Amino acid sequence: MRLFGIIFVIAAVAISSAAVADDFGDPAAGEQVYRQCKSCHQVGDGAKHRIGPHLNGIFGRQAASHDGFRYSKALSRAGTSGLEWHADTLDAFLENPKAIASGTRMSFPGLKKPKDRLDLIAYLRAFSDNPANIPEADPTASPTDHDIDPAILALKGDPEYGEYLSSECTTCHQTSGGDDGIPSIVLWPEEDFVLAMHAYKNKKRSHPVMQMMAGRLNAEEIAALAAYFAGLEE
Amino acid sequence: MTLNRRQFIGTSAAMATVLSAPMVKAQGKPRVVVVGGGAGGATAARYLAKDSKGGIDVTLVEPTRKYYTCFFSNLYLGGFKEIEDIGHTYGGLAAGGVNVVHDWAVGVDRAAKTVSLAGGVSVPYDKLILSPGIDFVDGAVDGWGLSAQNAMPHAYKAGSQSELLKAQLQAMPEGGVFAMVAPPNPYRCPPGPYERVSMVAHFLKQNNPTAKIIVADPKPKFSKMSLFQEGWANHYEGMVDWIGEDFGGGNVSVDPAAMTVTIDGEETKVDVCNVIPAMKAGRIAELAGVTDGNWAPVNAADMSTKADADVYVLGDAASQGDMPKSGYSANSQAKVCANAVRGALTGSKVFPAKFANTCWSLIASNDGVKVGATYEATPEKIAKVDGFISQTGESADLRKATYEESEGWYTGITTDMLG
């Protein structure tokens, strides 16, 4: 009789954790996804920086904030202007690292399946189990779907309009490609440009000036800018 | 003064065009005259020449051969820049196809559509763009006038005045007093006087740490006030005494001969006095008859004046609505204006007006802050859409990044203006 009781409790726990896994991803599946990350990143006991920084305690951490790791200028900039790693920002970054920090040295095309990202984030959560660096709200934040509608990516912009709009960019960004203090925006692949601008517009990418500038551009205008800048390359 | 080759060629080509213009209508090309080679005028001239690909005859009238940017001139006072770091010639514009004429525009005949120059010639235009910056309102500060500007510099048009103020700052006796008379709204560069206080304090902290700064201000509050006050308390504790409207900061008179400042009846002997008087549109706007009061009212869609559809006013001189008077604003307005003027003269596509502004200020080494907004044209005015401002208590890393960003912006905008 007592034995039955224990079995019952175990079953109840199993059911409830399955429900959690549905909301927050399945850490076991995430461990499988993590195999793609392993060649560059370590996580868990004794993890050290390798090609990429170790991933212990990543939740709540400011991007590019390990003292002992040399980050790209782009990710450092994103960190100082407010990018912190939480479920939503990790999800956006894992989907397409370059959309969040264009010049990141993380040369990884991104995880396109939302479930893979959800699972991976659930797996990484296990290594952030230190109350000191997990804000209360973190575990309950669920990833948001921010896929850019393919119709938006397919838009053909008017380069002449783009040229006019680009004059607003060149007040700060140099067309020579100089990047002291302000990043370069020339010679970007068109799609990366569109993704980055939409990431600012949707406030997935941090920087108050860029969020403001991109915020009032509509999809056609962003496409026009991309078309203009792409035309410059030729 | 030496001219480089490009400047020389640019200038002589420009003069030849001007001299022949009354006889030959430059092969019937439409003509735009731009008066004033600052952030508004230089940008408008460059974009018109660049985007029309030679289809518009663009003449820029600018008296000085070297332009010192007002933006970053405070950093020169603080010791972060040399004067030559903020000086720029017009060779790049000349090379870009702009006829650069170094002369004063002294009159506009709107009926005949000509601008007369101090040198004696008159230049015809189809469209006239005035970007003359600011002049000071006569008698705005009791006891101060332009004849007193050597004893009490304004240093609000950069160049020799900035150098004079810096020299006076360096010559201050130990424990001396630096006074500033701040201007009433509206004026060029809203955070400018307070960035200047910060930069003067930075200089004094290193060279004359017992010196004091007094600011007499006719306003109850000012741009980025909480950020500056936080910075002054953190970096320059006890050095800055800001006397706002509530404490009689607007009731000021100066005596340049005696070097005294009287604030709300209390006379103080000072060692340096930086008087920044009330401002108005640069004089040519008034001479052209397009001002109403101190400023020139313009239409938000294209920066054309309310008085004359063929005369445009950019930047500080314009009364346009919500945008602050800043170099960034003038540059932004110039692009909207150039697009509209080119459309009117050549039939090119005219796109909707979009304006933006960001003002960075330096409080101390690596302690930069910023404020910015976007704007759109409404039938009534240029209206604010969205904005942001740096927060108090930001991390040192973020403040450093903001300062570095301002350096990047400086390179960006000066290249955007002057080529």
Side-chain angles (χ1 to χ4, degrees), chain A residues 161-171 225 228-229, chain B residues 47:
Chain A
Y161 189 24
E163 179 171 17
Y164 167 71
L165 292 169
S166 79
S167 69
E168 195 155 68
C169 315
T170 55
T171 301
L225 275 169
Y228 168 68
F229 281 117
Chain B
Y47 272 74

Side-chain angles (χ1 to χ4, degrees), chain A residues 158 164 167 170-171 207 216, chain B residues 331 335 349 352 355 375 405:
Chain A
D158 169 6
Y164 167 71
S167 69
T170 55
T171 301
H207 193 274
R216 65 154 169 187
Chain B
N331 170 270
K335 291 163 185 174
K349 251 191 258 178
F355 304 95
Y375 304 86
E405 191 176 279

Side-chain angles (χ1 to χ4, degrees), chain A residues 10-227:
Chain A
I10 289 170
V13 169
I15 288 163
S16 71
S17 67
V20 169
D22 275 353
D23 281 345
F24 304 120
D26 173 2
E31 188 172 5
Q32 296 305 308
V33 178
Y34 178 72
R35 285 156 70 174
Q36 300 179 53
C37 318
K38 264 173 130 168
S39 55
C40 298
H41 293 281
Q42 292 189 347
V43 71
D45 280 348
K48 291 195 177 60
H49 299 324
R50 298 273 306 272
I51 294 170
H54 77 71
L55 301 175
N56 289 345
I58 193 170
F59 277 75
R61 180 194 293 285
Q62 180 184 314
S65 61
H66 279 301
D67 282 340
F69 188 79
R70 203 167 66 87
Y71 294 92
S72 63
K73 234 189 224 179
L75 200 64
S76 299
R77 223 175 238 146
T80 47
S81 55
L83 177 63
E84 279 184 10
W85 295 127
H86 299 281
D88 55 347
T89 51
L90 279 169
D91 183 63
F93 189 69
L94 287 167
E95 185 190 7
N96 184 351
K98 286 193 161 46
I100 301 301
S102 314
T104 179
R105 279 200 264 276
M106 181 157 132
S107 54
F108 179 67
L111 297 166
K112 299 306 168 203
K113 291 184 190 155
K115 183 175 183 311
D116 284 351
R117 304 196 295 269
L118 205 62
D119 292 344
L120 179 60
I121 290 165
Y123 173 68
L124 292 175
R125 260 282 293 134
F127 302 99
S128 280
D129 234 344
N130 170 0
N133 58 19
I134 302 186
E136 286 290 312
D138 244 336
T140 56
S142 71
T144 45
D145 181 16
H146 59 89
D147 284 335
I148 298 296
D149 184 341
I152 287 178
L153 281 178
L155 280 175
K156 282 282 160 235
D158 169 6
E160 196 185 347
Y161 189 24
E163 179 171 17
Y164 167 71
L165 292 169
S166 79
S167 69
E168 195 155 68
C169 315
T170 55
T171 301
C172 298
H173 297 277
Q174 297 174 59
T175 48
S176 67
D179 69 346
D180 278 345
I182 288 185
S184 167
I185 52 168
V186 297
L187 301 175
W188 278 35
E190 206 166 332
E191 184 172 313
D192 285 10
F193 186 94
V194 172
L195 285 171
M197 290 297 282
H198 280 281
Y200 281 124
K201 185 176 168 66
N202 302 330
K203 304 204 190 300
K204 291 291 172 196
R205 243 175 119 129
S206 59
H207 193 274
V209 179
M210 284 308 303
Q211 287 182 354
M212 178 181 84
M213 292 296 187
R216 65 154 169 187
L217 295 173
N218 62 35
E220 284 79 18
E221 288 168 333
I222 289 173
L225 275 169

Side-chain angles (χ1 to χ4, degrees), chain B residues 190-252:
Chain B
Y194 313 99
E195 181 186 58
R196 176 170 296 173
V197 166
S198 308
M199 291 293 95
V200 167
H202 175 80
F203 176 88
L204 292 174
K205 188 179 175 184
Q206 297 185 342
N207 298 284
N208 191 348
T210 54
K212 296 274 179 246
I213 300 171
I214 305 172
V215 185
D217 204 324
K219 305 181 291 297
K221 58 189 172 63
F222 56 83
S223 171
K224 302 177 187 166
M225 185 164 175
S226 58
L227 295 166
F228 281 115
Q229 291 188 327
E230 175 194 53
W232 296 343
N234 288 345
H235 301 292
Y236 317 116
E237 203 194 341
M239 189 180 263
V240 182
D241 185 10
W242 177 77
I243 302 163
E245 186 197 32
D246 302 351
F247 296 90
N251 179 15
V252 177

Side-chain angles (χ1 to χ4, degrees), chain B residues 104-192:
Chain B
W104 282 97
V106 292
V108 174
D109 183 338
R110 290 200 276 124
K113 296 183 101 172
T114 58
V115 179
S116 52
L117 306 185
V121 285
S122 96
V123 192
Y125 66 82
D126 295 306
K127 296 281 189 184
L128 173 64
I129 300 175
L130 302 175
S131 190
I134 50 112
D135 273 318
F136 300 112
V137 174
D138 282 343
V141 174
D142 191 12
W144 192 90
L146 279 187
S147 60
Q149 72 172 11
N150 259 40
M152 295 186 167
H154 54 78
Y156 231 64
K157 298 181 186 185
S160 52
Q161 277 278 306
S162 318
E163 290 182 284
L164 177 63
L165 186 60
K166 175 94 177 237
Q168 293 180 354
L169 187 59
Q170 286 166 330
M172 259 174 78
E174 192 183 330
V177 177
F178 178 103
M180 173 190 281
V181 178
N185 290 321
Y187 62 97
R188 156 179 288 179
C189 188

